[in-house]
Amino acid sequence: VKAAIPERELPIWADGRKLSRVLENLIGNCVKYALKGTRVFLSVAEENGRAIIELKNTANYEMDFAADEITERFVRGDAARSTEGSGLGLAIASSFVELQGGTLDIEIDGDLFKAIVSFPQDGTQELHA
């Protein structure tokens, strides 16, 4: 994993357990499904008053799905994958981020998979139980 993290903190209002679970899922997926011999990239930055966490990798399979579909329950990126999985991971991650007032966006460009988690830094988002 290649990380680019700023020296200064980027504070946000969030549930630490839920956010930890989101990041564990996203990092785990990026590592598990990265093309052999490639890296997973993680960056944290501040942009327009928002803390942005971005993860990206080159997938080890053809991503023949729409980016907005992959965060739906029971949708897996590749039906031909032989690994275990319910297809709930990204749906739960997306729900946890939204419950905390953030966004989770997925972008696909050829074999490049990118997950972008964003939270306002001013604490104005509405947290949901």
Side-chain angles (χ1 to χ4, degrees):
V1 175
K2 179 124 173 106
I5 300 172
E7 299 258 341
R8 69 179 189 89
E9 293 182 0
L10 300 175
I12 60 169
W13 286 94
D15 179 314
R17 283 188 272 202
K18 283 185 173 75
L19 188 56
S20 175
R21 202 154 157 216
V22 167
L23 294 175
E24 180 182 318
N25 176 274
L26 293 174
I27 293 168
N29 280 350
C30 279
V31 169
K32 186 187 317 183
Y33 301 120
L35 183 65
K36 188 175 181 174
T38 63
R39 290 182 266 192
V40 171
F41 294 87
L42 166 77
S43 65
V44 178
E46 189 258 332
E47 186 177 303
N48 299 323
R50 295 184 72 82
I52 310 291
I53 304 166
E54 184 177 283
L55 289 139
K56 58 186 172 183
N57 73 324
T58 301
N60 64 5
Y61 62 94
E62 183 178 349
M63 294 183 287
D64 59 352
F65 54 86
D68 59 341
E69 292 175 351
I70 196 66
T71 55
E72 294 177 15
R73 289 178 170 261
F74 308 112
V75 174
R76 294 182 55 182
D78 181 4
R81 284 197 314 232
S82 60
T83 57
E84 299 282 327
S86 63
L88 288 173
L90 288 178
I92 291 171
S94 181
S95 293
F96 277 8
V97 170
E98 289 173 10
L99 283 171
Q100 298 174 85
T103 60
L104 169 61
D105 295 305
I106 303 295
E107 294 179 6
I108 298 169
D109 185 4
D111 289 338
L112 178 68
F113 176 89
K114 187 186 300 185
I116 304 158
V117 178
S118 173
F119 285 98
Q121 285 192 272
D122 60 10
T124 60
Q125 77 268 30
E126 184 178 330
L127 300 178
H128 303 279

